[in-house]
Every structure is written in structure tokens, then in C-alpha cells.
Amino acid sequence: MNYPPEDVTLPPTKLGRAIRHLLITLIPLTLLIANATAQTPVLREITEVRALPPEQAARNLPVEIEAIVTFINPSLNTIILNDGREGIYVTLPKPAQPEIRNGTILRLTGHTQPGGFLPIIAAEKWLILDQQPTPTPKRIHAAELFSPSLDCQWVQVSAIVTGANDDDDNIIIPTAEISGWTVRLLVPPGEKSLQHIAHIMQQPVTITGVVGSVFNDQRQLVGRHFFLTSAEQIVPTETPAPSAEAPLRAVNELLRSDSNSHTRVRVRGIVTRPSSDGLFIRGEGGSLFIRSVSHQLTPGTRIEAEGFAAVAPFRPVLRATRVTPVGQALAPQPLQMDPAGQDLSPLQSELVAVEATLQALRTGTRNETVLQCRARDWFFEAILPPGQTTPTRLVAGSRIQLVGICELTTTHALPFSQGIDGFRLHLSHLDDITILQLPPWWTLPRLLWALAIIAAVALAFFTWASLLRRRVSEQTKTIRDQIERAAVKDERQRIARELHDTIEQELAGLSIQLRNARQRMLSAPDQAGQSLSLAEQMLRHCREEARTSIRDLRSAALEVRGLHGALEELLTPTVNELGAHFSLQSQGQPYPLTGPAEIHLLRIAHEAVVNASRHASPKIIQVTLQFEPDTITLEIRDDGTGFDPAQSPPRGHFGLLGMRERSNKLHATLTIDSTPGKGTTIRIIVPAASARRPSQPATFKP
């Protein structure tokens, strides 16, 4: 049997399944390819980089270009590349190899940066491909000079070199004019460079270099300069034909009606001050600024300068092609300047001296010190170069003398001599500042502050005094009431204490004697009579004690014999009546005590002895008075029955309470050491500061 050929077509179900698997595989692959395609391509043209907006250039877009070096700055690790159409500024992560120079062809990779004016390239690595002559520069005219698209371009332009000076970065900056526009050329330093620039001063030249841009923070072009790798890139365009010697002119004869800025002239004079871009001289007819390559000429050098006069405010300047020293003289003395009573127009570029008052100090944009001064009704500034610090004694208000080059200023549109309304001085060093007089301490602001403070203090004082008077009046009434109450209370306590210490004790003894007399009246009349006699004596003594209390309790013995004698006089009869043995000792060098202190110590000792004789039946009572520089110690010791100090005294007994009160008045420490059956020791320690009388040591002795 013959079968038809086998059909290789898959059934519909299998075909759909295969297509589905294929799509599942291809879709991710397609997305991956699309994503890779969507990535930012590597920028390979300088034109592409420079066309980026700053925001996009800040995204670090990859760059790979091949271009030729047209400028290199080893100190800043930067180069400028040109691909034949555009130039671009490139920063290097490390110093370039010595092989990299103008004409080197590099293949460079890196990323974009926004730059300050146009986007730039931050290099990551590079490869030196070849070394060729620098490309043919683009010829430009003055009308194109300020076109922003010329930034970093390799160009050639006609100009006239008008001056040169050294910059702070140790580079030479010649000044050139391009159809009336002034630009600066950045040239590497070197004696050959200076000689070359001096040789071509005031001559037509062709400048070949890289265009640089001066810009503000809004990325706007505000000026032009040129990067040159060598002064040889400034080439004279014609060789001047030999001419007759230039005529000699006085300073005040420049640019009169019979001469112009194209007439070569000579001037002579004495250097007053050198400058970074020329010299100031004093010659016949006045002073003059000579713009030239820097010369190391000191003040007093006689020179002859040849060149072309140029217009400048208030007085022409000389653009010198040659400056020749011809001798030496004394350094010129400055001319005295009086802004208020003098015609200032002849003082332009002149060395002057002016007396002024310093108003303030500030720092300029190039770190120069600016002295803001006042001379009569004129305010002006004196400028001290960077690196020169003013004397520490120089403060606002100081009277000073300044010596410097005068630069006249005006706010008028046309700088006529009649329009001079200001000036500034250019100083050279600290010696140009002489302090004539320091300001008085009492300046007007300080005086006003002092008056304001005094007025505020006076107002506060009178307010306080008024409030204090009212408060004192209120407090006085309150204190008076309190004093009266306290006085009554203290007097009551004093009377109670004195009565207890003296009269009450005497009356208690009198009561005892009368009781004994009554008991013996029948059994022993003789002894009863003795008791009555003794009671009579005690009554007499009680009357004397009352009198003593009335006389403010001041013992006569204290007045005559001091505390030791008073203790002996007061305590001996009491102890003898008891029949005990009494001893009194004094230790140390005695010194006089205040009246209250003596009375309190005397009464404390008397109370202690009376208590002992009344309650303890002692056989020996010893009293010790010890004087030390810082303390007075009084100790009363007995061998009686003793008692327990922790127990409260019986009702109606105020002896111990009185002793404590008196010790508190002396700020003293009172201790009672007693044990039943073993006697009692009472010790009081008084600080000398609260008891000693300020007088000579006592003359009495115990």
C-alpha cells in the first residue's frame, strides 16, 4: 500500500506551544538589547561635549576623544585639546608625563563636567599616539574677540603689546591691545620671556594662542585673555626701520597739540617708586607713570625712557620700549599734600605725604590691606600690597602720616581737572605708615556709652532707692514690733535665769536654814540660834545678789581681777559652806574677754558648783580655766553622786537649761559627762573669735 508523504507540519496545538516558548525567550532578550541601546552613547566629538547643557554635563557622561594638545599647565594639571574644529578644557587626575606638550596627540577617556563657562572633560586615562606640529590656528579679527564660541580655540590675532607685569602665580602677564580692546596674555616666567617682551613693546605683533574666558557666576562672558606656552608665540609683524633719535620731551609736554600717540618720544626723570607693571618718575614738568616690563630700579635712580605717550585719566602715561638707567641720585622726598587747600591735579602719579586720621581697616579682593582715612573733609583710601601687615598698635582714630603714589579719582563722566573729587594712595611697605598719635581712650562712642551707662545706673539707683525707702519703712515697723516682742521675751528669760542662778538659790538655802531652826527650836535652842543667824546672813547675801542683778549682773571682781579672780571670789564661799575641797587652776596665757562672755562663764561655773553642792554631796570640786589661741575651755569636775544626763531634770529645776542657754549665746560647745556614783564633769569650749576682746593681752595674773 502506498502512503502519502508524511506531513512535517506540527499540529495546531504544538505550533502554538512552540511559538509561545519562542516569545518567552525572545522578549527578555529584546528588552535587554533595547535597554543597552537606550544607554547614553560615548561622546567622541568635542562639539558634542560643548553643546551639552550644564545640567546634563554634570551627569558624568562618558567621553572618548582623540585630539591634539594646544596648551598645558603642569602646575594645575590641566591641558587644552583641539580636534581640528573645537577646543576644550581638560583636567587631569595626576601630573602629565613630560612627553605631553604642544602638538601631542592623545586618545583620552573620561567624563563630562559642567565647568564654569562651558562644559569640560575630567580625564581618567590617556594614551599618547603621536607628536605633530601644532595645527594651523584660526585667524580671527577684533570683531570676533568676544564671541563666546571662541573659548579654548587655537587662534591667531593681531595686537600691540603695551606692558607686562608678574602675577601672584609667578607667571608673566603682558598687556596687549586689539583694536582698542585690552587683553592679557598668560606667559610662563623666565628671563628670556621678559627680554623678548621688552624687545617687542609697542610694536605690532601676531599672537598665537588659546583663547581664555573671564566669566561670572551666571556663566556670562565678561573678559578675554590668551594662554601662551611661550613668549615666542608673540611675533612682531614688521621690523621697524631705523629712525632718528626720538625727541626729548618734558613730562608736561606729552600729548600736546604738536605730538600724538604714534610719535616716539624720550623723557628723563628720577624714580620715585617702582611698580609691578612700570615705574613712577619725577621729571621736568611733573610726575609720570612709565608702563614697561618690570625693572629692579630703586628710588633715586636716574633713567631715560623711550616710547609712546598714551591717554590716561588726568595725565598721560608713557608706554616704554626702552628704559635705561643713567645715574643715581638721592631718593626724592614726598611732596606735602593738603587736600583741602591745594590744587590736586599736578599730584597725579606723584609721591606725596599726607596726614590723616584712620577711620577703619579692611581687606581688599586681592588680600591687600586698605586703610580708610580722613584728611579734613576728604575721605580716601591707602592701599598696602598683599603680604604687608599693618602695625598692631594701629587702630581706628590714630593720627598717621602716609607716603605713597597719588591716584586722582572722579565721579564725573569726563575727567577734567575741575572734576577731581577724590584720590587714593598706593603704598609700598610698612615704612610708608607713621603713627603720629594714638587715639585717646575717651572717644566719642565710648563717652556716649559711658554716659548712657551712668544714666541707666542712676535711674536704676533712684528707682531702687525709692523702692528701698518704702520697703525699709515697712520693714522698720515690722522689725520694731519684733524687737519689742523679742526684747520683752529676752528680758523675761534673763531675769528668770538670773533669779534662778542667784536669788532663787539663795532663797532655797534660806528656806533650808529656817526649817533646821524650827526643828531645833525645842531640842537644841543654841543650834537653832545658829541656824537663824546663818539664815540672817543668807538673807543679807540674797539682798546683795539682788543688787548685783540690778547692776546688770556685772561682778566687781571681773572688773578688777578678771575671770579667774571672779571665779575664785564667787565659788570659794559656796564650796567652803559645803565642806568640800575646792581648787581653781588657770592654764595658758590669759587674754581679756568681752563682758557678756565673762558673765556667762562665771554664771555657768557658779550654777555647776551650786548644783553639785545641792544634789551630789561632793568632797572635791575642781575648776580649770584654759586659754588657747582659738578657744577658751572651762571645766568643772566633782566626785559627787553624779546623775544620768539623758534623763529630764526634775520639774522646777532650770540649772542645766540655763547653762545651755548661756553656752548658745557664746556659740560654745557644752558637754556633760556624768554617771551615777562616779561624779560629774561639765566642760564648755568657747571659740575665741566670739569671746575675745580686741585689746592688748591682760596684765593681771591668777
Side-chain angles (χ1 to χ4, degrees), residues 43-46 49 63-67 81 88 90 106-109 121:
L43 302 177
R44 302 184 184 277
E45 300 291 339
I46 293 177
V49 177
V63 176
E64 181 177 345
I65 63 171
E66 186 175 314
L81 297 179
I88 196 165
V90 179
L106 297 178
R107 179 179 296 144
L108 179 143
T109 59
I121 296 175

Side-chain angles (χ1 to χ4, degrees), residues 643-655:
F643 66 98
D644 185 3
Q647 293 182 355
S648 300
R651 186 173 182 179
H653 292 260
F654 303 100

Side-chain angles (χ1 to χ4, degrees), residues 575-626:
V575 176
N576 290 341
E577 182 182 352
L578 177 66
H581 175 73
F582 174 71
S583 66
L584 174 63
Q585 295 181 355
S586 180
Q587 300 176 357
Q589 179 65 36
Y591 44 81
L593 306 180
T594 61
E598 290 179 335
I599 292 176
H600 288 313
L601 290 175
L602 184 64
R603 294 305 181 187
I604 289 174
H606 185 260
E607 178 67 23
V609 170
V610 169
N611 284 346
S613 62
R614 180 183 301 172
H615 305 294
S617 302
K619 296 180 179 180
I620 298 174
I621 297 178
Q622 298 176 344
V623 177
T624 303
L625 181 63
Q626 183 176 359

